[in-house]
Amino acid sequence: EVQLVESGGGLVQPGRSLRLSCAASGFTFDDYAMHWVRQAPGKGLEWVSGISWNSASIGYADSVKGRFTISRDNAENTLYLQMNGLRPEDMALYYCAKGLRDAFDVWGHGTTVTVSS
Amino acid sequence: QSALTQPRSVSGSPGQSVTISCTGTDGDVGGYNYVSWYQQHPGKAPKLLIYDVSERPSGVPDRFSGSKSGNTASLTVSGLQADDEADYYCCAYAGSYTRVFGGGTKLTVL
């Protein structure tokens, strides 16, 4: 079964850091691009960042550029999102998603990030 | 990276068809044939319905179809069913390995 399991969310003060992880199973991880998508409470989906299968191509939303870093470990079938300088507006449910062509065909259940003092 | 524009809500009766629009720019929707659509029920993760403008993943009913003209993409849901009531989002490639979502559309089945 194809599965993505996010972890690492939690409560953090503004300005602090957090690292999210996404463990992949059931497919050949290093064949696919991977992405992070977030959803603030009661709001719509926002693409955060994406990384190609070999990490050669990486992109970020303007809202997180310079603060967030995406990476992957193909040997461990794991995707990461290092989030620095967290702001209240970063508070959201963060989904990990598998790439299919230029879409996202498999989603995890998400991990919640709360930014509050 | 401005969000793509979708209507806030659409509605239709069972058996009818509805179309949801998604308007962007030459830099995203109009510039590439990389538009996808997602369905999200409350409390659930999104589900891919359409990719590459009009392609359906296996398992998605052919009641869901996608198209594009210029800077506007569209999702049509035919033969509306009660379970189609959900939020729908479009997403487009926006260059430099970035993507942008639409604001979402709530579909109500009357």
Side-chain angles (χ1 to χ4, degrees):
Chain A
E1 179 193 4
V2 177
Q3 195 171 13
L4 299 172
V5 179
E6 303 92 337
S7 61
L11 173 63
V12 62
Q13 293 178 327
R16 304 299 291 263
S17 299
L18 211 55
R19 188 175 86 153
L20 306 183
S21 299
C22 170
S25 60
F27 65 100
T28 305
F29 183 70
D30 55 11
D31 276 352
Y32 296 94
M34 297 294 296
H35 299 265
W36 289 99
V37 176
R38 69 185 181 184
Q39 187 167 33
K43 301 297 184 182
L45 300 174
E46 180 186 14
W47 178 83
V48 174
S49 181
I51 185 169
S52 62
W53 66 274
N54 61 355
S55 304
S57 295
I58 287 175
Y60 298 98
D62 287 345
S63 57
V64 307
K65 196 176 299 182
R67 300 186 298 123
F68 290 10
T69 302
I70 191 172
S71 62
R72 63 189 296 162
D73 184 336
N74 287 344
E76 295 294 329
N77 292 343
T78 303
L79 175 72
Y80 300 101
L81 186 68
Q82 177 67 42
M83 304 186 296
N84 298 333
L86 281 162
R87 304 168 179 169
E89 55 264 36
D90 294 319
M91 187 161 63
L93 179 64
Y94 283 72
Y95 291 105
C96 163
K98 169 181 167 288
L100 170 67
R101 296 282 289 169
D102 208 72
F104 320 118
D105 67 332
V106 179
W107 297 66
H109 291 291
T111 186
T112 299
V113 172
T114 303
V115 183
S116 175
S117 53
Chain B
Q1 294 171 354
S2 298
L4 307 176
T5 300
Q6 297 182 233
R8 285 220 169 208
S9 64
V10 297
S11 62
S13 300
Q16 289 186 332
S17 295
V18 295
T19 296
I20 299 171
S21 61
C22 169
T23 301
T25 68
D26 290 345
D28 38 61
V29 174
Y32 312 91
N33 286 322
Y34 291 135
V35 178
S36 52
W37 289 91
Y38 303 85
Q39 176 192 63
Q40 187 180 36
H41 286 108
K44 301 293 188 182
K47 173 188 175 182
L48 176 64
L49 296 175
I50 298 288
Y51 67 98
D52 289 0
V53 175
S54 59
E55 298 296 315
R56 271 187 312 276
S58 60
V60 174
D62 59 6
R63 300 188 298 107
F64 295 92
S65 61
S67 63
K68 189 185 86 166
S69 177
N71 294 340
T72 298
S74 299
L75 173 73
T76 297
V77 185
S78 306
L80 272 177
Q81 300 177 359
D83 189 54
D84 296 334
E85 185 160 298
D87 293 325
Y88 291 80
Y89 295 90
C90 60
C91 184
Y93 180 73
S96 301
Y97 214 73
T98 65
R99 280 78 173 167
V100 60
F101 276 97
T105 298
K106 181 175 179 58
L107 169 59
T108 301
V109 180
L110 301 170

